Amino acid sequence: VTDSSGLAVSGAGIKLVHTSTGRERGSVSDERGAFLLTGLDGGGYTLTVTHPGFKQATRQGLRLATGERLPVGIISLEV
């Protein structure tokens, strides 16, 4: 997670919702802006990232197979 200038955003709220079941998982970005969610079921997901002072960022249509790692790339938050 970065800001619009490319600097890491620490403490961003991460929410991942399984689109079929509604099951939610959460995390917080670290000092590098990175986050990791483990033990996820396969299926479709929506990812939401929030931080005070920034607009919410959402990625829909993420697909994950059970046991798979899904890199979501850089998520840039805008003011």
Side-chain angles (χ1 to χ4, degrees), residues 3-24:
D3 64 14
S4 58
S5 67
L7 296 174
V9 176
S10 175
I14 311 298
K15 181 171 79 169
L16 190 68
V17 179
H18 192 283
T19 53
S20 295
T21 66
R23 182 175 178 208
E24 294 183 14

Side-chain angles (χ1 to χ4, degrees), residues 19-55:
T19 53
S20 295
T21 66
R23 182 175 178 208
E24 294 183 14
R25 298 291 299 275
S27 186
V28 176
S29 62
D30 64 17
E31 66 279 352
R32 297 175 299 127
F35 62 90
L36 178 66
L37 296 164
T38 60
L40 301 171
D41 295 327
Y45 285 90
T46 297
L47 175 71
T48 304
V49 180
T50 58
H51 194 282
F54 293 95
K55 294 178 185 174

